[in-house]
Amino acid sequence: MLKKIIILVFALCTLLAVAAFAATTVDSSYLIDNEQILDGKTVEFNGEVIGNVMKRGKYAWVNVSDRYNAIGIFMPNEMADKIKQAGSYNFKGDTVTVIGVFHRACKQHGGDLDIHADSLEIVAPGHQTVHPIKATRVILLFFTMAAVIVLVVLRIVFRR
Amino acid sequence: MLLRPRLDDFKVIGFHIGRLIVALGLVMIIPLITGILFLEYAMALNFGIALFAGLAIGLVLQIICSTRKDLNWMHGLVVAATAWLAAMFIGAIPLYLSGQFGSFLDACFDSMSGFATTGLSILQGKDHISISLNMWRHLMMFLGGQGIVVIGLTFLIKGTAGAYRMYVGEAREEKVLPNVIQTARFIWLISIVYLVIGTFMLTVVAFFEGIPLLESFLNGLWIFMAAFDTGGFTPYSQSILYYHSFPFELVTMALMILGTLNFGLHYALWDRKWKELRTNIETKTLLFSVLIIFTLTAIGLTRMDTYPNWLALFRKGFYQILSAHSGTGYMTIYAQQFVFEWKTIAMFGAMLAMAIGGSACSTAGGIKVLRVGIFIKALFQDVKRVMSPGTAVISAKFHHIKDIIMTEKFVRTTLLIILAYLITYFLGTVAGIIYGYPLEQAAFESVSAAANVGLSCGITSPAMPAGLKVVFILQMWLGRLEFMSIFALIGFFIATFRGKG
């Protein structure tokens, strides 16, 4: 019986410890609005990689956007290498889950609000996006172009 | 007594607005070509539509209002004020067609913000916009910084006395060179030379910070255009924070300082008159103002323990203050951090810097350091007068390119414009409060819009009430043109309906 109680207490303590140190899942607005509380804590942040993976020495900067804001993530190059596609006009970037330590005003990086990543997981790979040409726009282009030609002719006639 | 304008007045005004619209329409060739080069055909099509629409509207005005008459003072001022509104509508066409704005009003907001070099933006999905659209957004700032009229003067309009009147209407009283066309071309010369140097420096820094060469060049070009023209648009939603780079911040700081200097001072420096830097009332006032306001802000930030060390205080505190004072609006913090991190004292510092602004005859907005310098000098002069014997004759002069004697009329004009800015800041704040925003935030955003800065504490967003968007558009317009031409436009309207004759 005593053995069972000890195991139960141990399991409970382990669970509590895990809960205490587990990453809090946050969105960028919550992160910025509660930066004093979350400063120095481990957080889990999800979003799309945008722009560029900027490698500097052994580390890289990656900006991850969750539609509200983009947050700078500082990570080792090996972790950054997992990212295959960053978001731009023609591409939806990789969707990633980052777990790392949040800094309200990072000492190492001149006061930046950032996350130093401990792990990065690709949740969904990026893909190309298409921007189809609308027929109505083509018609509108020809219409405005024709109007300009007519007006130029009219202007020449009026000048004479 | 107000005289009702005659048909000829409308024709002269319409004809010149038409010419300016044509000039602006032609500039859209640049983003159009960019779209084709980068295979963004859908966007290129949008620019094609906007280009031809601009040309058509401009030509219609020129045909209907065909005249050979030159502009008088009233015409010049009305043309300048109206041309900026027309530019806003034409510039908004490709923005709206891009599909990244909730409404045409939102597109107009960004268009006015671009031309007026403000930098507030309600564009959606900023991290996914096309290269050609980014080119247009930043080009709007570059063109607006020099001035819509300056574009027309450079390419399409003859250097008549009327041309000078339009130039003045665009809040540019100073002729750097004796001829207004030469002045317009000199403004372009300076801008192009700095464009080459600035873009090169930013490209090199961005490349060494891990951005591929072509993207480094594009980022360098865009950031230069918005920094030198104290605009504040950036290709990414995080503003300058996107780059996480101290060297990049240093280069943009240098560009913001260059952009906020008077074109007259630039000319003096090109002429190797280095002494001008020490003796000019503008540079002295700017230096003192930045130092005093940064000290105030640093006290606020240090008291709140906002930043962990001096480097952070410099990169966040000083950067934001310089950005505010120069009228640029580049940010290395998030908008919400002004409220949650900077708090009252530091936020007040940033607001004060925005309200004062940069130099006259530059691309900066706000009251302008020249006027603040004159105001302080006039204040000292009055104190001196009170303390001197009644028979004493007190006169004062200041140095701004040349020595200028401070007359009563001169001081009165300066004070009137300062007052007009303060009223505009106040009215925008009231509008913000009416829409339910807290006083501190409403005042911050109002000053930012009217002083054409672009720093935001979070109010400016696509979800902002439509009425407030209109208020900010009006503030940006008023602030950029410095009131006189807009008052002339209002007077013109009143005269049309209530004038005699």
Side-chain angles (χ1 to χ4, degrees):
Chain A
M1 183 64 186
L2 186 69
K3 204 176 169 185
K4 278 184 182 173
I5 292 170
I6 290 169
I7 291 168
L8 201 70
V9 169
F10 181 74
L12 201 70
C13 288
T14 313
L15 263 174
L16 283 171
V18 168
F21 288 101
T24 317
T25 307
V26 289
D27 68 32
S28 62
S29 296
Y30 183 80
L31 204 59
I32 297 167
D33 294 355
N34 297 283
E35 52 187 22
Q36 299 277 359
I37 303 163
L38 294 168
D39 193 21
K41 299 223 165 57
T42 300
V43 294
E44 184 182 311
F45 182 67
N46 301 299
E48 181 199 350
V49 175
I50 49 119
N52 307 94
V53 174
M54 295 175 273
K55 287 188 177 172
R56 291 172 199 171
K58 292 177 180 171
Y59 292 87
W61 276 107
V62 173
N63 292 297
V64 175
S65 167
D66 67 350
R67 280 181 52 228
Y68 306 111
N69 298 283
I71 303 287
I73 316 285
F74 188 64
M75 62 181 75
N77 280 345
E78 304 84 66
M79 206 183 279
D81 287 338
K82 289 185 193 172
I83 298 164
K84 300 294 174 221
Q85 187 64 60
S88 64
Y89 176 63
N90 288 316
F91 290 95
K92 161 99 175 138
D94 290 347
T95 305
V96 297
T97 295
V98 176
I99 296 175
V101 180
F102 170 69
H103 299 102
R104 177 188 64 81
C106 182
K107 263 186 194 171
Q108 193 187 338
H109 297 118
D112 280 7
L113 183 150
D114 64 18
I115 295 171
H116 289 206
D118 293 326
S119 74
L120 177 138
E121 192 191 331
I122 308 287
V123 177
H127 55 84
Q128 196 164 8
T129 49
V130 284
H131 305 278
I133 293 171
K134 293 175 184 165
T136 48
R137 297 269 167 96
V138 178
I139 295 166
L140 196 57
L141 177 75
F142 281 109
F143 176 75
T144 50
M145 200 191 295
V148 169
I149 293 166
V150 171
L151 287 164
V152 168
V153 173
L154 274 174
R155 185 154 155 68
I156 293 165
V157 171
F158 269 101
R159 271 195 170 174
R160 278 181 189 168
Chain B
M1 186 182 70
L2 277 174
L3 288 177
R4 182 175 294 148
R6 289 170 301 150
L7 186 64
D8 270 358
D9 296 315
F10 286 101
K11 283 178 92 173
V12 174
I13 291 166
F15 182 78
H16 283 88
I17 292 171
R19 297 211 96 173
L20 289 173
I21 291 175
V22 167
L24 191 69
L26 288 173
V27 178
M28 281 199 211
I29 290 172
I30 297 170
L32 172 66
I33 292 171
T34 309
I36 294 167
L37 282 178
F38 287 93
L39 313 176
E40 297 168 348
Y41 298 122
M43 268 314 296
L45 187 64
N46 295 337
F47 281 108
I49 294 167
L51 187 156
F52 288 117
L55 292 182
I57 295 166
L59 285 168
V60 165
L61 277 171
Q62 286 185 55
I63 292 167
I64 294 173
C65 306
S66 182
T67 179
R68 287 184 187 279
K69 271 189 148 185
D70 199 11
L71 300 147
N72 63 26
W73 271 111
M74 188 258 296
H75 296 149
L77 295 174
V78 171
V79 168
T82 318
W84 277 75
L85 280 184
M88 177 188 77
F89 286 117
I90 304 290
I93 296 173
L95 297 183
Y96 180 65
L97 292 177
S98 72
Q100 298 199 262
F101 288 88
S103 64
F104 191 69
L105 175 67
D106 288 11
C108 284
F109 183 94
D110 266 45
S111 178
M112 180 57 89
S113 178
F115 282 122
T117 70
T118 306
L120 291 171
S121 177
I122 48 176
L123 186 147
Q124 296 171 27
K126 199 174 176 187
D127 297 313
H128 288 95
I129 54 176
S130 64
I131 293 171
S132 50
L133 191 65
N134 257 326
M135 187 65 85
W136 178 236
R137 290 174 68 237
H138 292 86
L139 198 59
M140 280 195 294
M141 295 211 133
F142 195 54
L143 301 173
Q146 324 312 318
I148 305 283
V149 169
V150 169
I151 303 167
L153 287 176
T154 314
F155 303 111
L156 288 176
I157 295 167
K158 287 176 195 163
T160 58
Y164 175 65
R165 285 157 193 157
M166 279 199 292
Y167 176 80
V168 172
E170 205 169 49
R172 288 256 166 80
E173 289 159 56
E174 296 172 36
K175 273 196 285 186
V176 179
L177 293 160
N179 180 300
V180 71
I181 298 285
Q182 286 171 338
T183 300
R185 286 183 184 156
F186 177 73
I187 287 174
W188 276 109
L189 175 71
I190 285 185
S191 305
I192 299 292
V193 169
Y194 282 131
L195 174 83
V196 174
I197 298 168
T199 304
F200 175 74
M201 288 180 72
L202 287 168
T203 305
V204 170
V205 173
F207 181 69
F208 281 108
E209 294 288 46
I211 299 176
L213 188 61
L214 180 62
E215 285 178 61
S216 290
F217 167 73
L218 290 171
N219 276 267
L221 177 68
W222 296 332
I223 296 293
F224 168 84
M225 287 201 269
F228 181 72
D229 284 270
T230 62
F233 275 169
T234 50
Y236 297 104
S237 59
Q238 290 155 286
S239 191
I240 298 300
L241 181 62
Y242 170 85
Y243 302 95
H244 304 283
S245 165
F246 188 35
F248 203 83
E249 287 163 21
L250 286 176
V251 179
T252 53
M253 282 163 101
L255 293 172
M256 289 192 282
I257 294 169
L258 284 172
T260 206
L261 295 180
N262 193 308
F263 281 112
L265 182 70
H266 277 291
Y267 184 71
L269 296 179
W270 278 48
D271 223 13
R272 295 171 193 274
K273 291 175 185 161
W274 304 107
K275 203 178 144 196
E276 194 64 34
L277 266 178
R278 278 188 298 112
T279 52
N280 196 307
I281 189 172
E282 261 189 328
T283 46
K284 284 195 284 186
T285 314
L286 183 65
L287 181 68
F288 280 116
S289 179
V290 168
L291 290 178
I292 291 167
I293 293 173
F294 175 61
T295 307
L296 176 76
T297 309
I299 290 169
L301 293 172
T302 312
R303 273 181 59 181
M304 305 302 298
D305 248 346
T306 308
Y307 295 114
N309 50 40
W310 281 98
L311 181 65
L313 185 67
F314 179 77
R315 286 183 63 180
K316 303 298 167 192
F318 188 73
Y319 192 92
Q320 258 57 230
I321 291 302
L322 187 65
S323 175
H325 220 311
S326 64
T328 311
Y330 275 163
M331 291 167 76
T332 55
I333 61 172
Y334 292 92
Q336 301 97 306
Q337 286 185 292
F338 276 118
V339 181
F340 296 120
E341 290 268 288
W342 278 46
K343 308 264 168 76
T344 310
I345 301 176
M347 242 178 119
F348 175 73
M351 219 186 308
L352 194 62
M354 290 195 287
I356 293 173
S359 302
C361 197
S362 73
T363 63
I367 289 169
K368 307 276 170 10
V369 279
L370 177 63
R371 294 193 183 106
V372 174
I374 291 169
F375 171 71
I376 293 167
K377 197 129 193 161
L379 199 70
F380 278 118
Q381 192 192 10
D382 272 10
V383 172
K384 213 166 154 186
R385 188 174 291 147
V386 170
M387 295 177 78
S388 306
T391 50
V393 178
I394 311 286
S395 70
K397 63 178 180 179
F398 63 88
H399 183 78
H400 171 60
I401 311 295
K402 59 187 179 192
D403 286 338
I404 300 167
I405 293 169
M406 230 160 61
T407 60
E408 288 283 330
K409 191 184 164 198
F410 196 84
V411 175
R412 196 169 67 95
T413 313
T414 302
L415 290 179
L416 271 176
I417 296 178
I418 292 177
L419 187 67
Y421 267 109
L422 294 178
I423 291 170
T424 314
Y425 296 155
F426 173 74
L427 291 177
T429 307
V430 171
I433 292 168
I434 290 170
Y435 278 106
Y437 295 101
L439 170 68
E440 208 173 47
Q441 293 174 43
F444 189 92
E445 217 80 356
S446 165
V447 173
S448 180
N452 302 123
V453 180
L455 290 181
S456 172
C457 65
I459 291 179
T460 302
S461 77
M464 180 168 65
L468 200 56
K469 286 174 191 168
V470 174
V471 170
F472 285 172
I473 288 174
L474 290 173
Q475 281 188 299
M476 291 190 265
W477 182 46
L478 276 163
R480 176 60 181 86
L481 295 182
E482 296 195 346
F483 311 101
M484 204 45 76
S485 55
I486 293 165
F487 291 159
L489 180 65
I490 295 166
F492 186 77
F493 264 104
I494 294 170
T496 305
F497 295 106
R498 303 191 65 176
K500 290 182 179 170

